[in-house]
């Protein structure tokens, strides 16, 4: 990692008065000044866990920074270091999930406006992981003049329905109210085990020796960042971290065929990334997304073979280097 990489943590306030944590990552010695970038996390993982681990090949933000991009890593309300709804200091309740995807667009608005002012750029690029991709697409539909490039990584759109995991009859559906999220079981927020995502990752790696595919230091740093992202995590044994369930409810709804936003409202350049072994993003859903992007300035679909959902954390030769190269070429257009 470059010795000239700099990090700064601060807060911005949304139009509805919520304090949102931002980490700025930039390289003060970068040879060029490239498009500034917003990095938006997914359903249950705060931003630093996904985009800025302090291990080799663990920070997308740092890799973009050395290429000249000033990056803002966003923690949505209720996640990581950002302000949490007061209900998250109480035991979970079987009520409506906290922090829906479209609420997070307010957090993105505050982050994007700050980055535009700080960088002097009138529009920025936005990278969204999973349902974070849905968030950045919704932002781009509302403020097309502020979004130049979208990178939709492991995206869920909601056009196709029939998702193999988030589907009718799954644990996510209320058995007493078909078509509704299972609020009696999952409620307003969740305590997550820190190794939950690593288990899914292991299932996607197609070889027995997981360390040959993925550096064990990445896993250790990833799980520690999840603990560090919740000040109450160590109050429980084993440690767990909290996340609001609004994005999870939206994921279920998109899985059964509900769109949260129509892609025909997007005018930015769009890159869609769907790794071969990913189990979240579905080909028929991405085909429908591509068909709906009728007003996008450009649509580039990249479906790398022999890669997992966690391509950003896999060893460079297992897709990470190729991902960075493809994305940099896209952002330069």
């Amino acid at each position: 990692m470059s010795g000239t990489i700099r990090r700064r943590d601060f807060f911005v306030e949304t139009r509805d008065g919520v304090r949102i944590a931002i980490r700025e990552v930039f390289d003060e010695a970068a040879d060029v000044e490239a498009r500034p970038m917003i990095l938006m996390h997914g359903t249950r993982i705060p931003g630093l866990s996904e985009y800025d681990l302090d291990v080799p090949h663990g920070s997308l933000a740092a890799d973009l920074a050395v290429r000249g991009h000033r990056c803002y890593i966003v923690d949505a309300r209720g996640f990581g270091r950002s302000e949490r709804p007061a209900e998250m200091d109480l035991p979970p309740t079987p009520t409506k999930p906290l922090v829906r995807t479209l609420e997070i667009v307010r957090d993105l608005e505050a982050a994007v406006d700050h980055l535009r002012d700080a960088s002097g750029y009138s529009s920025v690029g936005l990278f969204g992981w999973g349902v974070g991709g849905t968030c950045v697409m919704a932002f781009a539909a509302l403020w097309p003049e502020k979004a130049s490039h979208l990178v939709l990584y492991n995206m869920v759109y909601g056009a196709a329905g029939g998702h193999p995991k988030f589907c009718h009859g799954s644990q996510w559906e209320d058995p007493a109210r078909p078509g509704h999220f299972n609020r009696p079981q999952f409620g307003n927020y969740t305590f997550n085990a820190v190794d939950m995502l690593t288990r899914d990752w292991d299932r996607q790696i197609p070889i027995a020796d997981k360390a040959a595919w993925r550096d064990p230091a990445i896993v250790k740093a990833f799980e520690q960042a999840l603990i560090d992202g919740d000040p109450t995590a160590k109050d429980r044994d084993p440690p767990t971290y909290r996340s609001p369930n609004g994005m999870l409810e939206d994921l279920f709804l998109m899985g059964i065929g509900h769109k949260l936003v129509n892609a025909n409202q997007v005018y930015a350049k769009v890159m869609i990334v769907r790794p071969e072994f990913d189990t979240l993003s579905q080909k028929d859903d991405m085909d429908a997304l591509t068909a709906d992007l009728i007003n996008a300035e450009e649509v580039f679909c990249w479906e790398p073979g022999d890669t997992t959902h966690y391509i950003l954390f896999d060893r460079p030769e297992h897709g990470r280097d190729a991902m960075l190269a493809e994305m940099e070429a896209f952002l330069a257009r």
Side-chain angles (χ1 to χ4, degrees), residues 12-62:
V12 295
E13 187 168 315
T14 66
R15 65 170 62 222
D16 56 336
V18 179
R19 278 167 51 88
I20 299 301
I22 304 288
R23 171 166 291 180
E24 178 184 34
V25 182
F26 65 98
D27 188 343
E28 60 185 8
D31 293 333
V32 297
E33 183 178 348
R35 179 74 51 182
M37 293 292 297
I38 295 285
L39 306 181
M40 181 67 226
H41 62 78
T43 308
R44 301 192 228 191
I45 310 176
L48 299 188
S49 305
E50 289 190 335
Y51 298 123
D52 196 32
L53 302 180
D54 189 20
V55 290
H57 312 302
S59 175
L60 174 65

Side-chain angles (χ1 to χ4, degrees), residues 2-3 15 28 31 33 41 62 69 72 76 83 87 99 101 105 114 136 171 174 182 185 226 244 305 314 320 327 331:
S2 170
R15 65 170 62 222
E28 60 185 8
D31 293 333
E33 183 178 348
H41 62 78
H69 301 277
Y72 278 14
E83 184 177 342
E87 295 94 324
V99 188
T101 296
V105 175
H114 192 286
V136 303
Q171 64 174 330
D174 186 344
N182 195 348
Q185 179 174 345
L226 293 174
D314 287 325
R320 191 174 192 277
M327 186 165 64
L331 293 174

Side-chain angles (χ1 to χ4, degrees), residues 184-261:
Q185 179 174 345
F186 295 102
N188 58 349
Y189 77 94
T190 294
F191 293 104
N192 302 287
V194 297
D195 66 345
M196 171 186 63
L197 297 159
T198 306
R199 295 197 301 269
D200 179 59
W201 194 356
D202 283 347
R203 287 190 291 268
Q204 292 185 33
I205 294 174
I207 59 175
D209 183 2
K210 309 305 179 185
W213 188 283
R214 173 199 64 205
D215 187 347
I218 290 278
V219 177
K220 183 178 180 180
F222 178 72
E223 294 183 351
Q224 185 61 49
L226 293 174
I227 294 172
D228 294 343
D230 184 346
T232 74
K234 294 181 180 178
D235 295 344
R236 297 172 288 277
D237 186 20
T240 59
Y241 69 98
R242 296 168 294 166
S243 64
N245 279 344
M247 292 174 84
L248 194 58
E249 177 175 36
D250 287 333
L251 179 52
F252 165 70
L253 292 174
M254 288 188 289
I256 62 173
H258 293 280
K259 296 179 188 177
L260 300 187
V261 60

Side-chain angles (χ1 to χ4, degrees), residues 23-328:
R23 171 166 291 180
E24 178 184 34
V25 182
F26 65 98
D27 188 343
E28 60 185 8
D31 293 333
V32 297
E33 183 178 348
R35 179 74 51 182
M37 293 292 297
I38 295 285
L39 306 181
M40 181 67 226
H41 62 78
T43 308
R44 301 192 228 191
I45 310 176
L48 299 188
S49 305
E50 289 190 335
Y51 298 123
D52 196 32
L53 302 180
D54 189 20
V55 290
H57 312 302
S59 175
L60 174 65
D63 285 323
L64 289 172
V66 298
R67 292 164 171 82
H69 301 277
R70 183 177 297 268
C71 296
Y72 278 14
I73 303 170
V74 180
D75 280 342
R77 61 188 68 196
F79 291 84
R81 302 155 300 139
S82 287
E83 184 177 342
R84 299 177 190 268
E87 295 94 324
M88 293 182 70
D89 291 326
L90 302 172
T93 59
T95 55
K96 67 179 182 180
L98 297 165
V99 188
R100 298 292 296 277
T101 296
L102 294 182
E103 286 182 79
I104 295 171
V105 175
R106 298 173 184 166
D107 309 338
L108 285 170
E109 178 196 18
V112 167
D113 285 347
H114 192 286
L115 181 53
R116 290 167 66 234
D117 289 343
S119 67
Y121 277 75
S122 61
S123 62
V124 305
L126 297 101
F127 184 108
W129 185 325
V131 181
T134 312
C135 294
V136 303
M137 190 171 74
F139 174 86
L142 285 169
W143 289 285
E145 72 280 7
K146 298 180 183 181
S148 62
H149 297 69
L150 304 182
V151 180
L152 307 177
Y153 175 72
N154 303 318
M155 169 79 171
V156 182
Y157 181 42
H163 195 283
K165 180 177 180 181
F166 296 92
C167 57
H168 291 295
S170 69
Q171 64 174 330
W172 311 107
E173 184 173 51
D174 186 344
R177 302 174 70 210
H180 292 73
F181 182 68
N182 195 348
R183 294 180 180 182
Q185 179 174 345
F186 295 102
N188 58 349
Y189 77 94
T190 294
F191 293 104
N192 302 287
V194 297
D195 66 345
M196 171 186 63
L197 297 159
T198 306
R199 295 197 301 269
D200 179 59
W201 194 356
D202 283 347
R203 287 190 291 268
Q204 292 185 33
I205 294 174
I207 59 175
D209 183 2
K210 309 305 179 185
W213 188 283
R214 173 199 64 205
D215 187 347
I218 290 278
V219 177
K220 183 178 180 180
F222 178 72
E223 294 183 351
Q224 185 61 49
L226 293 174
I227 294 172
D228 294 343
D230 184 346
T232 74
K234 294 181 180 178
D235 295 344
R236 297 172 288 277
D237 186 20
T240 59
Y241 69 98
R242 296 168 294 166
S243 64
N245 279 344
M247 292 174 84
L248 194 58
E249 177 175 36
D250 287 333
L251 179 52
F252 165 70
L253 292 174
M254 288 188 289
I256 62 173
H258 293 280
K259 296 179 188 177
L260 300 187
V261 60
N262 197 304
N264 66 22
Q265 299 175 80
V266 171
Y267 291 82
K269 295 181 174 70
V270 178
M271 177 180 180
I272 299 167
V273 181
R274 183 178 171 271
E276 180 181 3
F277 303 140
D278 175 37
T279 58
L280 181 63
S281 187
Q282 300 296 302
K283 180 170 175 51
D284 54 353
D285 198 34
M286 292 301 94
D287 288 344
L289 170 61
T290 301
D292 280 356
L293 284 166
I294 59 175
N295 289 312
E297 186 174 344
E298 175 189 347
V299 180
F300 169 45
C301 299
W302 188 55
E303 298 182 284
D306 208 29
T307 51
T308 76
H309 179 92
Y310 300 92
I311 186 174
L312 291 179
F313 290 141
D314 287 325
R315 292 190 182 274
E317 65 272 22
H318 287 294
R320 191 174 192 277
D321 279 355
M323 169 79 187
L324 289 170
E326 293 286 355
M327 186 165 64
E328 189 58 27

